[in-house]
Amino acid sequence: MAEREPSRVTRHGGPVVVLTGASSGIGASLALAWARRGARIVLSGRNEVALARVARQVTGAGGQAFVEAGDVTDDAHRVALVARAEREGGRIDVLVNNAGKGYYGAVEEVQLGELEALFALNVFAPFRLAQLSLGPLAHAKGTVVMMSSVAGVVAAPRMGAYAASKFALEAMSMALRAEVAARGIRVLVIRPGPVDTPFRDHAVSSTRRDGVSESGVRPPGATVQTPDAVAEMTVAAVARRRSVVETSLFVRVASLSARVAPAALRAISARMATRSKH
Ligand SMILES: NC(=O)c1ccc[n+]([C@@H]2O[C@H](COP(=O)([O-])OP(=O)(O)OC[C@H]3O[C@@H](n4cnc5c(N)ncnc54)[C@H](OP(=O)(O)O)[C@@H]3O)[C@@H](O)[C@H]2O)c1
């Protein structure tokens, strides 16, 4: 689908944004946050009905929306996203690799096929979209945003598969940031903790040996943020040319502990693993 939404607002001098996972949660909030700044946004996701609703909200908030429905694990869709942004905006100011999903299950229970599918979405899709976008991003001296997670720096029990995908995203982002800096392109990594979205409902859950569907454990002390709060922090961080944003105190403490007190973190993790089994 490549249909142009009508716009009631004419101030579209804002950035040209390619946004994956725009149909739900943090992505839908990001679309609105950029719309309020007059952005022209290429919206990606599989759910056409949800994308059309977000597109209407973007238009109402002062932005311009271009819906490109598709599966971001499909290379033809990724090529179409970049082409649409170049056609409508002539450049890409911001590529937001936000589409992703969770996986709840002990390492012992992880299914290889499901792990491959998870990496296709959480790692290979952002990697490939970044590759495809570097030309138009260099033209605009733009920013690649990678939606990582606290799971990109700490692997909690029963989150090994998901954390592995976010660790991989972090590694790629770190290397890419250094490689493209000379071309004026920035790479921004966002690390949220728990956010109030349908993420848990959309996650893959393994079935434990006792027949119960795994749902993961919420770490102790984790506050839940709104997707709007994470979106506002992300948009502000692009403007301030930041490299990494940890969106809550919980994430900052977890991330610091991983570096300066790994033994304490291992002890907490072991207790969480025991708790999650009963
Ligand atoms: N919520 C949290 O607690 C949390 C915490 C840390 C990090 N994050 C990260 O934040 C990002 C957004 O998550 P969320 O919480 O907003 O979850 P969400 O509400 O489930 O949104 C996920 C988005 O990804 C899209 N998506 C999933 N599979 C896709 C595919 N194959 N092709 C194209 N689009 C696809 C979905 O759109 P369609 O279904 O329309 O395809 C949807 O728009 C993810 O990368 C997640 O890992 C979330």
mmCIF file of all heavy atoms in Angstrom, residues 208-256:
data_model
loop_
_atom_site.group_PDB
_atom_site.id
_atom_site.type_symbol
_atom_site.label_atom_id
_atom_site.label_comp_id
_atom_site.label_asym_id
_atom_site.label_seq_id
_atom_site.Cartn_x
_atom_site.Cartn_y
_atom_site.Cartn_z
ATOM 1 N N ARG A 208 6.573 -23.793 29.028
ATOM 2 C CA ARG A 208 7.488 -24.454 29.959
ATOM 3 C C ARG A 208 7.190 -25.944 30.040
ATOM 4 O O ARG A 208 6.136 -26.409 29.606
ATOM 5 C CB ARG A 208 7.337 -23.827 31.360
ATOM 6 C CG ARG A 208 7.874 -22.436 31.378
ATOM 7 C CD ARG A 208 7.656 -21.618 32.619
ATOM 8 N NE ARG A 208 6.983 -22.210 33.737
ATOM 9 C CZ ARG A 208 6.436 -21.490 34.723
ATOM 10 N NH1 ARG A 208 6.502 -20.176 34.682
ATOM 11 N NH2 ARG A 208 5.842 -22.069 35.721
ATOM 12 N N ARG A 209 8.124 -26.683 30.643
ATOM 13 C CA ARG A 209 7.929 -28.135 30.737
ATOM 14 C C ARG A 209 6.697 -28.491 31.571
ATOM 15 O O ARG A 209 6.111 -29.537 31.397
ATOM 16 C CB ARG A 209 9.188 -28.803 31.297
ATOM 17 C CG ARG A 209 10.139 -29.174 30.152
ATOM 18 C CD ARG A 209 11.361 -29.850 30.673
ATOM 19 N NE ARG A 209 12.180 -28.905 31.428
ATOM 20 C CZ ARG A 209 13.278 -29.220 32.091
ATOM 21 N NH1 ARG A 209 13.682 -30.458 32.107
ATOM 22 N NH2 ARG A 209 13.975 -28.312 32.731
ATOM 23 N N ASP A 210 6.290 -27.562 32.473
ATOM 24 C CA ASP A 210 5.077 -27.846 33.253
ATOM 25 C C ASP A 210 3.812 -27.442 32.487
ATOM 26 O O ASP A 210 2.714 -27.464 33.025
ATOM 27 C CB ASP A 210 5.133 -27.156 34.618
ATOM 28 C CG ASP A 210 5.293 -25.628 34.489
ATOM 29 O OD1 ASP A 210 5.159 -25.105 33.365
ATOM 30 O OD2 ASP A 210 5.548 -24.965 35.496
ATOM 31 N N GLY A 211 3.972 -27.047 31.196
ATOM 32 C CA GLY A 211 2.823 -26.757 30.350
ATOM 33 C C GLY A 211 2.320 -25.325 30.427
ATOM 34 O O GLY A 211 1.425 -24.922 29.692
ATOM 35 N N VAL A 212 2.930 -24.521 31.319
ATOM 36 C CA VAL A 212 2.482 -23.139 31.484
ATOM 37 C C VAL A 212 3.187 -22.249 30.469
ATOM 38 O O VAL A 212 4.378 -22.426 30.191
ATOM 39 C CB VAL A 212 2.789 -22.652 32.930
ATOM 40 C CG1 VAL A 212 2.467 -21.177 33.097
ATOM 41 C CG2 VAL A 212 2.030 -23.492 33.940
ATOM 42 N N SER A 213 2.446 -21.288 29.904
ATOM 43 C CA SER A 213 3.049 -20.357 28.962
ATOM 44 C C SER A 213 3.902 -19.343 29.733
ATOM 45 O O SER A 213 3.434 -18.727 30.695
ATOM 46 C CB SER A 213 1.939 -19.656 28.180
ATOM 47 O OG SER A 213 2.498 -18.763 27.272
ATOM 48 N N GLU A 214 5.121 -19.156 29.303
ATOM 49 C CA GLU A 214 6.054 -18.257 29.996
ATOM 50 C C GLU A 214 5.634 -16.802 29.797
ATOM 51 O O GLU A 214 5.209 -16.421 28.715
ATOM 52 C CB GLU A 214 7.466 -18.477 29.411
ATOM 53 C CG GLU A 214 8.545 -17.709 30.100
ATOM 54 C CD GLU A 214 8.607 -17.996 31.592
ATOM 55 O OE1 GLU A 214 8.901 -19.153 31.961
ATOM 56 O OE2 GLU A 214 8.346 -17.065 32.364
ATOM 57 N N SER A 215 5.753 -16.008 30.861
ATOM 58 C CA SER A 215 5.394 -14.595 30.694
ATOM 59 C C SER A 215 6.501 -13.668 31.180
ATOM 60 O O SER A 215 6.342 -12.448 31.148
ATOM 61 C CB SER A 215 4.104 -14.287 31.454
ATOM 62 O OG SER A 215 4.278 -14.580 32.818
ATOM 63 N N GLY A 216 7.637 -14.241 31.610
ATOM 64 C CA GLY A 216 8.730 -13.389 32.063
ATOM 65 C C GLY A 216 8.454 -12.822 33.438
ATOM 66 O O GLY A 216 7.353 -12.930 33.954
ATOM 67 N N VAL A 217 9.482 -12.249 34.012
ATOM 68 C CA VAL A 217 9.338 -11.640 35.342
ATOM 69 C C VAL A 217 9.665 -10.170 35.237
ATOM 70 O O VAL A 217 10.652 -9.808 34.589
ATOM 71 C CB VAL A 217 10.372 -12.191 36.371
ATOM 72 C CG1 VAL A 217 9.720 -12.527 37.673
ATOM 73 C CG2 VAL A 217 11.228 -13.268 35.788
ATOM 74 N N ARG A 218 8.861 -9.337 35.850
ATOM 75 C CA ARG A 218 9.197 -7.909 35.860
ATOM 76 C C ARG A 218 10.270 -7.700 36.927
ATOM 77 O O ARG A 218 10.094 -8.126 38.071
ATOM 78 C CB ARG A 218 7.949 -7.086 36.166
ATOM 79 C CG ARG A 218 8.202 -5.601 36.039
ATOM 80 C CD ARG A 218 6.951 -4.862 35.607
ATOM 81 N NE ARG A 218 6.749 -4.984 34.167
ATOM 82 C CZ ARG A 218 5.639 -4.647 33.543
ATOM 83 N NH1 ARG A 218 4.620 -4.177 34.209
ATOM 84 N NH2 ARG A 218 5.536 -4.766 32.234
ATOM 85 N N PRO A 219 11.394 -7.085 36.579
ATOM 86 C CA PRO A 219 12.471 -6.931 37.553
ATOM 87 C C PRO A 219 12.039 -6.074 38.741
ATOM 88 O O PRO A 219 11.206 -5.170 38.584
ATOM 89 C CB PRO A 219 13.586 -6.239 36.745
ATOM 90 C CG PRO A 219 12.964 -5.808 35.482
ATOM 91 C CD PRO A 219 11.682 -6.513 35.283
ATOM 92 N N PRO A 220 12.617 -6.329 39.918
ATOM 93 C CA PRO A 220 12.240 -5.553 41.093
ATOM 94 C C PRO A 220 12.613 -4.078 40.911
ATOM 95 O O PRO A 220 13.674 -3.765 40.373
ATOM 96 C CB PRO A 220 13.067 -6.189 42.223
ATOM 97 C CG PRO A 220 14.138 -6.982 41.549
ATOM 98 C CD PRO A 220 13.647 -7.343 40.195
ATOM 99 N N GLY A 221 11.730 -3.183 41.343
ATOM 100 C CA GLY A 221 12.036 -1.748 41.297
ATOM 101 C C GLY A 221 11.777 -1.094 39.960
ATOM 102 O O GLY A 221 12.039 0.087 39.795
ATOM 103 N N ALA A 222 11.245 -1.851 38.998
ATOM 104 C CA ALA A 222 11.046 -1.269 37.664
ATOM 105 C C ALA A 222 9.729 -0.503 37.602
ATOM 106 O O ALA A 222 8.673 -1.077 37.806
ATOM 107 C CB ALA A 222 11.047 -2.377 36.614
ATOM 108 N N THR A 223 9.818 0.790 37.338
ATOM 109 C CA THR A 223 8.602 1.569 37.119
ATOM 110 C C THR A 223 8.222 1.466 35.646
ATOM 111 O O THR A 223 9.086 1.233 34.796
ATOM 112 C CB THR A 223 8.832 3.055 37.468
ATOM 113 O OG1 THR A 223 10.028 3.461 36.817
ATOM 114 C CG2 THR A 223 8.976 3.259 38.971
ATOM 115 N N VAL A 224 6.945 1.615 35.368
ATOM 116 C CA VAL A 224 6.469 1.507 33.982
ATOM 117 C C VAL A 224 6.263 2.912 33.423
ATOM 118 O O VAL A 224 5.555 3.726 34.007
ATOM 119 C CB VAL A 224 5.146 0.706 33.933
ATOM 120 C CG1 VAL A 224 4.637 0.612 32.499
ATOM 121 C CG2 VAL A 224 5.349 -0.685 34.528
ATOM 122 N N GLN A 225 6.902 3.198 32.298
ATOM 123 C CA GLN A 225 6.763 4.515 31.659
ATOM 124 C C GLN A 225 5.637 4.500 30.632
ATOM 125 O O GLN A 225 5.252 3.430 30.133
ATOM 126 C CB GLN A 225 8.070 4.887 30.940
ATOM 127 C CG GLN A 225 9.202 5.241 31.875
ATOM 128 C CD GLN A 225 10.432 5.682 31.091
ATOM 129 O OE1 GLN A 225 11.111 4.852 30.506
ATOM 130 N NE2 GLN A 225 10.716 6.970 31.096
ATOM 131 N N THR A 226 5.160 5.675 30.282
ATOM 132 C CA THR A 226 4.188 5.777 29.186
ATOM 133 C C THR A 226 4.951 5.829 27.865
ATOM 134 O O THR A 226 6.090 6.323 27.810
ATOM 135 C CB THR A 226 3.320 7.044 29.295
ATOM 136 O OG1 THR A 226 4.175 8.178 29.116
ATOM 137 C CG2 THR A 226 2.613 7.134 30.638
ATOM 138 N N PRO A 227 4.328 5.333 26.770
ATOM 139 C CA PRO A 227 4.997 5.456 25.467
ATOM 140 C C PRO A 227 5.201 6.913 25.067
ATOM 141 O O PRO A 227 6.193 7.241 24.406
ATOM 142 C CB PRO A 227 4.048 4.720 24.511
ATOM 143 C CG PRO A 227 2.769 4.547 25.241
ATOM 144 C CD PRO A 227 3.071 4.594 26.704
ATOM 145 N N ASP A 228 4.292 7.801 25.503
ATOM 146 C CA ASP A 228 4.449 9.224 25.178
ATOM 147 C C ASP A 228 5.719 9.794 25.813
ATOM 148 O O ASP A 228 6.437 10.592 25.191
ATOM 149 C CB ASP A 228 3.238 10.034 25.668
ATOM 150 C CG ASP A 228 2.010 9.788 24.812
ATOM 151 O OD1 ASP A 228 2.137 9.170 23.736
ATOM 152 O OD2 ASP A 228 0.905 10.210 25.228
ATOM 153 N N ALA A 229 6.001 9.377 27.050
ATOM 154 C CA ALA A 229 7.199 9.884 27.740
ATOM 155 C C ALA A 229 8.458 9.426 26.994
ATOM 156 O O ALA A 229 9.383 10.218 26.764
ATOM 157 C CB ALA A 229 7.222 9.397 29.187
ATOM 158 N N VAL A 230 8.483 8.149 26.591
ATOM 159 C CA VAL A 230 9.653 7.634 25.865
ATOM 160 C C VAL A 230 9.794 8.345 24.519
ATOM 161 O O VAL A 230 10.902 8.691 24.085
ATOM 162 C CB VAL A 230 9.542 6.100 25.676
ATOM 163 C CG1 VAL A 230 10.651 5.564 24.781
ATOM 164 C CG2 VAL A 230 9.568 5.398 27.037
ATOM 165 N N ALA A 231 8.660 8.600 23.868
ATOM 166 C CA ALA A 231 8.688 9.272 22.564
ATOM 167 C C ALA A 231 9.238 10.694 22.690
ATOM 168 O O ALA A 231 10.087 11.119 21.890
ATOM 169 C CB ALA A 231 7.284 9.289 21.959
ATOM 170 N N GLU A 232 8.770 11.424 23.681
ATOM 171 C CA GLU A 232 9.251 12.810 23.858
ATOM 172 C C GLU A 232 10.751 12.828 24.135
ATOM 173 O O GLU A 232 11.487 13.674 23.612
ATOM 174 C CB GLU A 232 8.485 13.514 24.989
ATOM 175 C CG GLU A 232 7.106 14.042 24.574
ATOM 176 C CD GLU A 232 7.167 15.062 23.423
ATOM 177 O OE1 GLU A 232 8.144 15.836 23.333
ATOM 178 O OE2 GLU A 232 6.233 15.074 22.597
ATOM 179 N N MET A 233 11.219 11.877 24.964
ATOM 180 C CA MET A 233 12.655 11.813 25.268
ATOM 181 C C MET A 233 13.462 11.503 24.003
ATOM 182 O O MET A 233 14.560 12.030 23.797
ATOM 183 C CB MET A 233 12.935 10.742 26.333
ATOM 184 C CG MET A 233 12.381 11.098 27.692
ATOM 185 S SD MET A 233 12.527 9.723 28.843
ATOM 186 C CE MET A 233 13.998 10.203 29.697
ATOM 187 N N THR A 234 12.897 10.664 23.150
ATOM 188 C CA THR A 234 13.592 10.273 21.917
ATOM 189 C C THR A 234 13.716 11.454 20.961
ATOM 190 O O THR A 234 14.800 11.741 20.433
ATOM 191 C CB THR A 234 12.834 9.115 21.231
ATOM 192 O OG1 THR A 234 12.740 8.026 22.146
ATOM 193 C CG2 THR A 234 13.523 8.668 19.955
ATOM 194 N N VAL A 235 12.619 12.156 20.763
ATOM 195 C CA VAL A 235 12.623 13.297 19.833
ATOM 196 C C VAL A 235 13.568 14.388 20.349
ATOM 197 O O VAL A 235 14.354 14.974 19.579
ATOM 198 C CB VAL A 235 11.181 13.818 19.641
ATOM 199 C CG1 VAL A 235 11.163 15.122 18.867
ATOM 200 C CG2 VAL A 235 10.345 12.762 18.916
ATOM 201 N N ALA A 236 13.532 14.620 21.666
ATOM 202 C CA ALA A 236 14.431 15.630 22.251
ATOM 203 C C ALA A 236 15.890 15.203 22.085
ATOM 204 O O ALA A 236 16.773 16.028 21.809
ATOM 205 C CB ALA A 236 14.094 15.824 23.733
ATOM 206 N N ALA A 237 16.152 13.896 22.227
ATOM 207 C CA ALA A 237 17.536 13.402 22.133
ATOM 208 C C ALA A 237 18.086 13.534 20.715
ATOM 209 O O ALA A 237 19.283 13.783 20.527
ATOM 210 C CB ALA A 237 17.602 11.948 22.590
ATOM 211 N N VAL A 238 17.225 13.385 19.718
ATOM 212 C CA VAL A 238 17.665 13.589 18.324
ATOM 213 C C VAL A 238 18.075 15.054 18.151
ATOM 214 O O VAL A 238 19.148 15.355 17.610
ATOM 215 C CB VAL A 238 16.551 13.206 17.322
ATOM 216 C CG1 VAL A 238 16.914 13.657 15.910
ATOM 217 C CG2 VAL A 238 16.293 11.702 17.349
ATOM 218 N N ALA A 239 17.230 15.952 18.656
ATOM 219 C CA ALA A 239 17.523 17.387 18.515
ATOM 220 C C ALA A 239 18.814 17.759 19.243
ATOM 221 O O ALA A 239 19.577 18.610 18.789
ATOM 222 C CB ALA A 239 16.350 18.206 19.062
ATOM 223 N N ARG A 240 19.055 17.109 20.387
ATOM 224 C CA ARG A 240 20.263 17.442 21.177
ATOM 225 C C ARG A 240 21.483 16.647 20.737
ATOM 226 O O ARG A 240 22.521 16.723 21.376
ATOM 227 C CB ARG A 240 19.994 17.178 22.666
ATOM 228 C CG ARG A 240 19.047 18.173 23.271
ATOM 229 C CD ARG A 240 18.867 17.943 24.773
ATOM 230 N NE ARG A 240 17.684 18.639 25.229
ATOM 231 C CZ ARG A 240 16.752 18.133 26.018
ATOM 232 N NH1 ARG A 240 16.875 16.902 26.480
ATOM 233 N NH2 ARG A 240 15.698 18.837 26.365
ATOM 234 N N ARG A 241 21.327 15.843 19.701
ATOM 235 C CA ARG A 241 22.424 15.062 19.123
ATOM 236 C C ARG A 241 23.071 14.135 20.150
ATOM 237 O O ARG A 241 24.283 13.975 20.217
ATOM 238 C CB ARG A 241 23.468 16.011 18.478
ATOM 239 C CG ARG A 241 22.829 16.935 17.457
ATOM 240 C CD ARG A 241 23.743 18.042 16.983
ATOM 241 N NE ARG A 241 24.831 17.576 16.149
ATOM 242 C CZ ARG A 241 24.728 17.230 14.880
ATOM 243 N NH1 ARG A 241 23.550 17.296 14.289
ATOM 244 N NH2 ARG A 241 25.760 16.822 14.200
ATOM 245 N N ARG A 242 22.221 13.501 20.965
ATOM 246 C CA ARG A 242 22.719 12.552 21.972
ATOM 247 C C ARG A 242 23.074 11.219 21.310
ATOM 248 O O ARG A 242 22.600 10.899 20.213
ATOM 249 C CB ARG A 242 21.629 12.292 23.035
ATOM 250 C CG ARG A 242 21.158 13.528 23.787
ATOM 251 C CD ARG A 242 21.941 13.792 25.053
ATOM 252 N NE ARG A 242 22.070 12.642 25.935
ATOM 253 C CZ ARG A 242 21.227 12.351 26.917
ATOM 254 N NH1 ARG A 242 20.164 13.111 27.129
ATOM 255 N NH2 ARG A 242 21.442 11.307 27.701
ATOM 256 N N SER A 243 23.877 10.402 21.988
ATOM 257 C CA SER A 243 24.265 9.079 21.469
ATOM 258 C C SER A 243 23.491 7.944 22.130
ATOM 259 O O SER A 243 23.174 6.944 21.476
ATOM 260 C CB SER A 243 25.766 8.836 21.687
ATOM 261 O OG SER A 243 26.507 9.777 20.962
ATOM 262 N N VAL A 244 23.245 8.069 23.431
ATOM 263 C CA VAL A 244 22.536 7.024 24.177
ATOM 264 C C VAL A 244 21.605 7.697 25.171
ATOM 265 O O VAL A 244 22.011 8.651 25.845
ATOM 266 C CB VAL A 244 23.516 6.109 24.955
ATOM 267 C CG1 VAL A 244 22.756 5.063 25.776
ATOM 268 C CG2 VAL A 244 24.499 5.415 24.010
ATOM 269 N N VAL A 245 20.371 7.203 25.265
ATOM 270 C CA VAL A 245 19.448 7.692 26.294
ATOM 271 C C VAL A 245 18.865 6.507 27.042
ATOM 272 O O VAL A 245 18.245 5.624 26.435
ATOM 273 C CB VAL A 245 18.315 8.557 25.689
ATOM 274 C CG1 VAL A 245 17.276 8.886 26.748
ATOM 275 C CG2 VAL A 245 18.885 9.842 25.113
ATOM 276 N N GLU A 246 19.079 6.486 28.348
ATOM 277 C CA GLU A 246 18.457 5.492 29.224
ATOM 278 C C GLU A 246 17.268 6.209 29.840
ATOM 279 O O GLU A 246 17.421 7.228 30.511
ATOM 280 C CB GLU A 246 19.484 4.995 30.237
ATOM 281 C CG GLU A 246 20.634 4.311 29.490
ATOM 282 C CD GLU A 246 21.715 3.714 30.366
ATOM 283 O OE1 GLU A 246 22.004 4.281 31.437
ATOM 284 O OE2 GLU A 246 22.269 2.669 29.963
ATOM 285 N N THR A 247 16.058 5.711 29.581
ATOM 286 C CA THR A 247 14.881 6.559 29.739
ATOM 287 C C THR A 247 14.340 6.660 31.160
ATOM 288 O O THR A 247 13.431 7.446 31.398
ATOM 289 C CB THR A 247 13.737 6.100 28.808
ATOM 290 O OG1 THR A 247 13.299 4.801 29.244
ATOM 291 C CG2 THR A 247 14.175 6.056 27.350
ATOM 292 N N SER A 248 14.855 5.850 32.099
ATOM 293 C CA SER A 248 14.346 5.950 33.472
ATOM 294 C C SER A 248 15.461 5.673 34.466
ATOM 295 O O SER A 248 16.515 5.122 34.106
ATOM 296 C CB SER A 248 13.205 4.948 33.697
ATOM 297 O OG SER A 248 13.709 3.629 33.664
ATOM 298 N N LEU A 249 15.194 6.018 35.724
ATOM 299 C CA LEU A 249 16.171 5.761 36.786
ATOM 300 C C LEU A 249 16.440 4.260 36.882
ATOM 301 O O LEU A 249 17.589 3.834 37.061
ATOM 302 C CB LEU A 249 15.621 6.300 38.117
ATOM 303 C CG LEU A 249 16.539 6.115 39.326
ATOM 304 C CD1 LEU A 249 17.844 6.875 39.149
ATOM 305 C CD2 LEU A 249 15.843 6.545 40.614
ATOM 306 N N PHE A 250 15.393 3.454 36.743
ATOM 307 C CA PHE A 250 15.554 2.002 36.797
ATOM 308 C C PHE A 250 16.579 1.529 35.761
ATOM 309 O O PHE A 250 17.473 0.728 36.065
ATOM 310 C CB PHE A 250 14.198 1.316 36.562
ATOM 311 C CG PHE A 250 14.338 -0.136 36.227
ATOM 312 C CD1 PHE A 250 14.702 -1.063 37.190
ATOM 313 C CD2 PHE A 250 14.142 -0.588 34.927
ATOM 314 C CE1 PHE A 250 14.864 -2.394 36.876
ATOM 315 C CE2 PHE A 250 14.301 -1.923 34.600
ATOM 316 C CZ PHE A 250 14.670 -2.829 35.586
ATOM 317 N N VAL A 251 16.485 2.033 34.549
ATOM 318 C CA VAL A 251 17.416 1.615 33.494
ATOM 319 C C VAL A 251 18.833 2.084 33.826
ATOM 320 O O VAL A 251 19.805 1.338 33.651
ATOM 321 C CB VAL A 251 16.980 2.153 32.112
ATOM 322 C CG1 VAL A 251 17.969 1.705 31.031
ATOM 323 C CG2 VAL A 251 15.580 1.691 31.763
ATOM 324 N N ARG A 252 18.942 3.318 34.315
ATOM 325 C CA ARG A 252 20.276 3.851 34.630
ATOM 326 C C ARG A 252 20.944 3.047 35.741
ATOM 327 O O ARG A 252 22.133 2.743 35.668
ATOM 328 C CB ARG A 252 20.177 5.344 34.993
ATOM 329 C CG ARG A 252 19.852 6.220 33.781
ATOM 330 C CD ARG A 252 20.059 7.701 34.075
ATOM 331 N NE ARG A 252 19.026 8.250 34.946
ATOM 332 C CZ ARG A 252 17.813 8.641 34.540
ATOM 333 N NH1 ARG A 252 17.479 8.539 33.273
ATOM 334 N NH2 ARG A 252 16.935 9.130 35.394
ATOM 335 N N VAL A 253 20.156 2.650 36.754
ATOM 336 C CA VAL A 253 20.719 1.865 37.868
ATOM 337 C C VAL A 253 21.117 0.472 37.367
ATOM 338 O O VAL A 253 22.206 -0.028 37.671
ATOM 339 C CB VAL A 253 19.702 1.775 39.039
ATOM 340 C CG1 VAL A 253 20.156 0.753 40.077
ATOM 341 C CG2 VAL A 253 19.521 3.143 39.684
ATOM 342 N N ALA A 254 20.247 -0.157 36.572
ATOM 343 C CA ALA A 254 20.550 -1.505 36.058
ATOM 344 C C ALA A 254 21.802 -1.475 35.178
ATOM 345 O O ALA A 254 22.683 -2.336 35.288
ATOM 346 C CB ALA A 254 19.351 -2.036 35.270
ATOM 347 N N SER A 255 21.880 -0.460 34.338
ATOM 348 C CA SER A 255 22.982 -0.347 33.398
ATOM 349 C C SER A 255 24.305 -0.074 34.137
ATOM 350 O O SER A 255 25.340 -0.686 33.839
ATOM 351 C CB SER A 255 22.635 0.786 32.422
ATOM 352 O OG SER A 255 23.702 1.148 31.657
ATOM 353 N N LEU A 256 24.253 0.809 35.138
ATOM 354 C CA LEU A 256 25.450 1.111 35.932
ATOM 355 C C LEU A 256 25.876 -0.124 36.729
ATOM 356 O O LEU A 256 27.069 -0.455 36.805
ATOM 357 C CB LEU A 256 25.155 2.288 36.875
ATOM 358 C CG LEU A 256 26.357 2.845 37.643
ATOM 359 C CD1 LEU A 256 27.351 3.502 36.687
ATOM 360 C CD2 LEU A 256 25.908 3.865 38.691
#
